[in-house]
């Protein structure tokens, strides 16, 4: 098939041939395979190549070739060019020029293997095109429904007492495939040992080929595909997927799938299973959960965040050893606070949504509350934009300053919403900037004194902060604060009156901005 065909669900030619209202019949060309139809295109040009993308059912009534001109090599050239353009099949209309399908055309289609379909006199080309679009819509709806059902069943399986075998069983049932979880390769198992499997077991040659694919996976997210022969001589599709993050292939698991076929939604279903299995089989997943529970208990009993942060921030390569260290390291390093707001009307607060966000943000410490998101990312790693979310990212702070980090993230989120961008970072002052010339204590005292008239009016103070950060834009400030623009104007006017300053003066704005940063 031509590389230019779109990633849409094609309609098998046989579906159109069985359509009772069309009355189509194949009169020549290859019948061994069921040609997939991606488009319908009508053309009466002698050379169809410039007008085809590939994958079309080309419809023609032969207007470009009257009966008298149909002899010789005309139809052979026409069919050869149609095949060269990548058309899936040729539909020939009976009327108004030809009473029957020209014999020379049928012979040319047989020679070049192009399916030739006779379109009867009573069937319009528009009816054929409409039938193709309807069949595509129905198939797409079926794929989406299958994907939704698979997501639900896989998520349910992941919540069971023995989740990994349950997920493999559900994936096997949805794909009609053999699914297997491979351990990392070792001296006794060069291609990795089978930890768990589900579904009909394929022949030994196919299993060995799939294991070899899994052993060749690269570091990071990767996959490999191949083919094998089944017991009855049928072709089997082999695919291996690396589970987990950036760990090398020598210390991570792999998912193998051996299927006799692949439908449009199968790839998305496997993708859901890969995410779930990556989370379920991640190193230290049980120990990490126990440490998070311990941290929660200590916080509820009054411990300071800095005293329990070490339980949450240990790297996967250095698991904790309960009993050997009565207290975790002081402080627990730096943390990045992320606040988010969901974009659009879609809503999914279940396991899959949380798992996808946790994987994308690089942390299991994710809290989803309706359309709001709050996450704690250990360290100073880069936080990337996430599909369907607007994010505000605070500067990395010690565990003792998480409150400040949360305020920074919330402020960054308001800017991201106002500016309609997927992510805004509220970073620290640039090293060597103007702020480095001022003593922090003196700058803080000056800022608090300057803003003292707004003490007790947090709405005015926050409105002034957002308004200044958005360069005095009334509309963006209103969006960020979720108030009317007239409310913003009234608050800014009131703040200017209390501070007894002219907020139209850029020097005044600059001084107030520094005061807000340091106070």
């Amino acid at each position: 098939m031509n590389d230019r065909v779109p990633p849409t669900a094609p309609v098998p030619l046989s579906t159109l041939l069985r359509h009772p209202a069309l009355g189509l019949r194949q009169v020549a060309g290859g019948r061994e395979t069921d040609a997939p139809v991606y488009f319908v295109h009508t053309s009466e040009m002698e050379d169809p190549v410039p007008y085809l993308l590939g994958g079309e059912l080309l419809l023609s009534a032969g207007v470009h070739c009257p009966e008298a001109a149909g002899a010789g090599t005309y139809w052979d050239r026409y069919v050869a060019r149609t095949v060269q353009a990548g058309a899936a099949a040729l539909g020939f209309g009976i009327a108004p020029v030809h009473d029957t399908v020209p014999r020379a055309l049928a012979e040319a289609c047989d020679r070049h293997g192009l399916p030739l379909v006779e379109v009867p006199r009573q069937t319009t080309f528009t009816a054929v095109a409409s039938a193709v679009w309807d069949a595509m819509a129905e198939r797409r709806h079926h794929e989406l429904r299958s994907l939704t059902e698979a997501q639900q069943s896989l998520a349910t399986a992941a919540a069971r007492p023995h989740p990994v075998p349950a997920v493999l069983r559900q994936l096997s049932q949805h794909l009609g495939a053999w699914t297997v979880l491979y351990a990392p390769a070792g001296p006794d198992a060069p291609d990795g040992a089978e930890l768990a499997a589900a579904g009909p077991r394929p022949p030994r040659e196919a299993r060995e080929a799939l294991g070899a694919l899994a052993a060749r996976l690269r570091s990071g997210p990767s996959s490999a595909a191949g083919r094998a022969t089944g017991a009855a001589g049928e072709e089997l599709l082999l695919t291996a997927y690396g589970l987990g993050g950036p760990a090398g292939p020598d210390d991570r698991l792999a998912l193998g799938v051996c299927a006799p076929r692949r439908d449009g939604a199968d790839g998305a279903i496997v993708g859901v299973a890969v995410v779930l299995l990556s989370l379920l089989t991640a190193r230290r997943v049980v120990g990490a959960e126990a440490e998070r529970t311990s941290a929660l208990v200590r916080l509820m009993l009054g411990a300071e965040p800095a005293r329990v942060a070490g339980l949450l921030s240990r790297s996967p390569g250095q698991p904790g050893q309960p009993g050997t260290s009565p207290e975790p390291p002081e402080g627990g390093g730096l943390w990045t606070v992320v606040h988010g707001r969901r974009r659009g009307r879609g809503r999914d607060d279940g396991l899959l949504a949380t798992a996808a966000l946790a994987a994308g943000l690089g942390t299991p410490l994710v809290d989803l509350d309706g359309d709001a998101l709050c996450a704690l990312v250990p360290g100073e790693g880069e936080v990337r934009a996430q599909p369907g979310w607007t994010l505000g990212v605070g500067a990395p702070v010690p565990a003792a300053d998480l409150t400040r980090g949360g305020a920074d993230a919330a402020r960054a989120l308001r800017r991201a919403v106002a500016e309609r961008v997927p992510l805004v970072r509220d970073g620290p002052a640039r090293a060597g900037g103007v702020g480095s010339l001022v003593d922090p204590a003196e700058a803080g005292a000056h800022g608090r004194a300057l803003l003292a008239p707004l003490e007790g009016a947090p709405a005015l103070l926050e409105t002034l902060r957002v308004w200044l950060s958005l360069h005095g834009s009334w509309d963006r400030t209103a969006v960020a604060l979720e108030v009317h623009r007239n409310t913003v104007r009234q608050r800014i006017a009131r703040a200017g009156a209390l501070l007894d300053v002219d907020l139209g003066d850029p020097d005044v704005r600059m001084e107030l901005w520094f005061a807000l940063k340091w106070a």
Side-chain angles (χ1 to χ4, degrees), residues 444-467:
H446 173 72
R448 287 188 292 273
L450 186 62
L451 298 172
L454 299 184
E455 186 177 356
L460 296 183
L461 192 65
E462 184 62 15
T463 301
L464 179 62
R465 183 194 303 274
V466 175
W467 183 71

Side-chain angles (χ1 to χ4, degrees), residues 343-381:
R343 296 195 303 269
R345 299 181 180 179
R347 186 164 181 172
D348 181 3
D349 298 328
L351 174 64
L352 293 177
T354 306
L357 279 172
L361 295 174
T363 175
L365 306 177
V366 175
D367 177 29
L368 276 181
D369 184 10
D371 291 335
L373 158 70
C374 184
L376 291 176
V377 181
E380 302 177 68

Side-chain angles (χ1 to χ4, degrees), residues 247-497:
D250 293 338
D251 60 354
R252 67 169 179 173
L253 306 179
L255 169 67
V257 178
C258 176
R261 56 175 175 75
R262 288 291 292 270
D263 290 335
D266 289 353
I269 294 173
V270 174
V272 173
V274 167
V275 172
L276 288 173
L277 290 172
S278 296
L279 293 172
L280 292 170
T281 60
R283 298 172 67 183
R284 300 181 55 248
V285 66
V286 176
E289 184 62 31
E291 290 176 347
R292 288 196 292 271
T293 302
S294 177
L296 176 61
V297 171
R298 295 189 188 189
L299 285 173
M300 295 181 68
L301 293 178
E304 293 294 330
R307 301 292 297 176
V308 301
L311 291 172
L312 304 175
S313 59
R314 291 193 179 101
S315 66
Q318 296 176 338
Q321 296 179 2
T324 62
S325 177
E327 282 296 326
E330 186 80 26
L334 296 178
W335 294 82
T336 299
V337 183
V338 181
H339 282 191
R341 182 183 300 178
R342 195 189 306 270
R343 296 195 303 269
R345 299 181 180 179
R347 186 164 181 172
D348 181 3
D349 298 328
L351 174 64
L352 293 177
T354 306
L357 279 172
L361 295 174
T363 175
L365 306 177
V366 175
D367 177 29
L368 276 181
D369 184 10
D371 291 335
L373 158 70
C374 184
L376 291 176
V377 181
E380 302 177 68
E382 181 183 1
V383 176
R384 300 180 182 274
Q386 300 299 309
W389 288 90
T390 299
L391 301 180
V393 182
V397 295
D401 292 334
L402 284 176
T403 300
R404 175 167 62 87
D408 292 344
R411 183 164 55 249
L413 175 60
R414 287 193 291 270
R415 285 187 54 198
V417 171
E419 297 175 7
R420 294 179 173 86
V421 294
L423 184 145
V424 166
R425 293 178 177 84
D426 190 274
R430 184 181 57 181
V434 175
S436 64
L437 304 177
V438 183
D439 179 74
E442 293 182 2
H446 173 72
R448 287 188 292 273
L450 186 62
L451 298 172
L454 299 184
E455 186 177 356
L460 296 183
L461 192 65
E462 184 62 15
T463 301
L464 179 62
R465 183 194 303 274
V466 175
W467 183 71
L468 290 175
S469 72
L470 296 173
H471 312 292
S473 171
W474 307 108
D475 291 332
R476 290 185 177 182
T477 304
V479 171
L481 296 176
E482 297 183 335
V483 297
H484 195 276
R485 66 194 308 269
N486 290 340
T487 302
V488 175
R489 289 183 177 274
Q490 293 169 5
R491 290 180 180 178
I492 294 300
R494 179 61 177 161

Side-chain angles (χ1 to χ4, degrees), residues 107-118:
E107 292 173 352
C109 287
D110 282 332
R111 281 194 300 272
H112 293 281
L114 178 67
L116 175 61
V117 176
E118 179 187 86

Side-chain angles (χ1 to χ4, degrees), residues 115-138:
L116 175 61
V117 176
E118 179 187 86
V119 182
R121 185 182 304 271
Q122 68 274 14
T123 300
T124 64
F125 288 177
T126 302
V128 176
S130 179
V132 171
W133 309 143
D134 290 345
M136 284 184 174
E138 181 179 357

